[in-house]
Amino acid sequence: MKRFLLISLLLSFAYLPLLPEPNKPNPPQAPSAAILTKIDQAELKKLLKESQIEIVEESENFLVLQLRDYRAALFLPTEYSLQFYSSFTSAKPRAELVNRWNQKMRYSRAYTDEEGRIILESDLDLTGGVTRENIKDFFKKFQLLLGQFSSSLTLQD
């Protein structure tokens, strides 16, 4: 009798996978975000407007923007990348400051050009794809970097 019960139990469990599974809820899906691998000036202007960034001047390859207390150019060197550019003038040589900035900071680079201006640049490569939010974050990040860089110049005077 025990043997019969054991075999019956084993056989009943053997057929369980044939029974339909109860409905399981689907895991939540993240909203699909469009991936951009290139951008044109019209889309760029739309993103700037959404980010509440004022366009002061327009050209075929760049836009001059008002970023809080600063102006910066946003270049479209190709449709696959963006580059922020801002320059500062200083009566004092700033090689040490520029070097320290490049050692400690990320997401930008600083240098002194041939005319003695101090330049702060930052690039965003679109190859491989980015979302519109990534581009907006790039705008925010450069604004922060610009403020920090300007403050470090002021502190050195």
Side-chain angles (χ1 to χ4, degrees), residues 8 15 52-53 59 116 120 139:
S8 297
Y15 290 103
Q52 300 176 340
I53 296 174
S59 174
L120 182 67
F139 299 160

Side-chain angles (χ1 to χ4, degrees), residues 4-157:
F4 176 74
L5 281 174
L6 183 60
I7 292 174
S8 297
L9 280 173
L10 287 174
L11 286 175
S12 62
F13 285 117
Y15 290 103
L16 278 179
L18 298 177
L19 298 174
E21 285 191 45
N23 288 338
K24 291 183 181 177
N26 291 333
Q29 299 283 327
S32 64
I35 302 296
L36 304 173
T37 55
K38 61 183 180 176
I39 194 166
D40 60 15
Q41 200 172 66
E43 179 70 18
L44 188 57
K45 287 164 62 174
K46 193 168 150 184
L47 291 171
L48 288 164
K49 185 176 181 178
E50 290 173 13
S51 299
Q52 300 176 340
I53 296 174
E54 178 188 356
I55 300 171
V56 178
E57 184 183 328
E58 294 181 37
S59 174
E60 188 178 322
N61 317 7
F62 69 91
L63 302 169
V64 176
L65 310 174
Q66 187 68 41
L67 300 173
R68 296 187 182 139
D69 297 334
Y70 311 100
R71 288 201 174 176
L74 180 57
F75 287 95
L76 280 152
T78 70
E79 58 187 1
Y80 305 104
S81 67
L82 298 172
Q83 182 185 61
F84 268 115
Y85 174 97
S86 191
S87 69
F88 300 83
T89 55
S90 175
K92 296 180 181 178
R94 300 292 184 182
E96 185 179 316
L97 170 81
V98 166
N99 192 35
R100 196 169 340 114
W101 178 269
N102 289 331
Q103 287 174 340
K104 293 184 177 187
M105 299 302 288
R106 298 177 60 194
Y107 309 113
S108 68
R109 70 187 153 283
Y111 59 91
T112 305
D113 71 5
E114 301 83 28
E115 297 168 16
R117 293 178 302 202
I118 301 167
I119 309 298
L120 182 67
E121 290 182 346
S122 186
D123 293 281
L124 180 65
D125 184 8
L126 305 178
T127 55
V130 298
T131 64
R132 298 173 92 242
E133 289 304 313
N134 291 131
I135 295 172
K136 289 178 182 180
D137 285 343
F138 176 62
F139 299 160
K140 289 177 194 171
K141 195 174 295 173
F142 190 74
Q143 287 183 71
L144 292 171
L145 291 168
L146 195 56
Q148 290 175 349
F149 189 73
S150 178
S151 293
S152 67
L153 283 174
T154 305
L155 292 173
Q156 295 295 314
D157 283 335

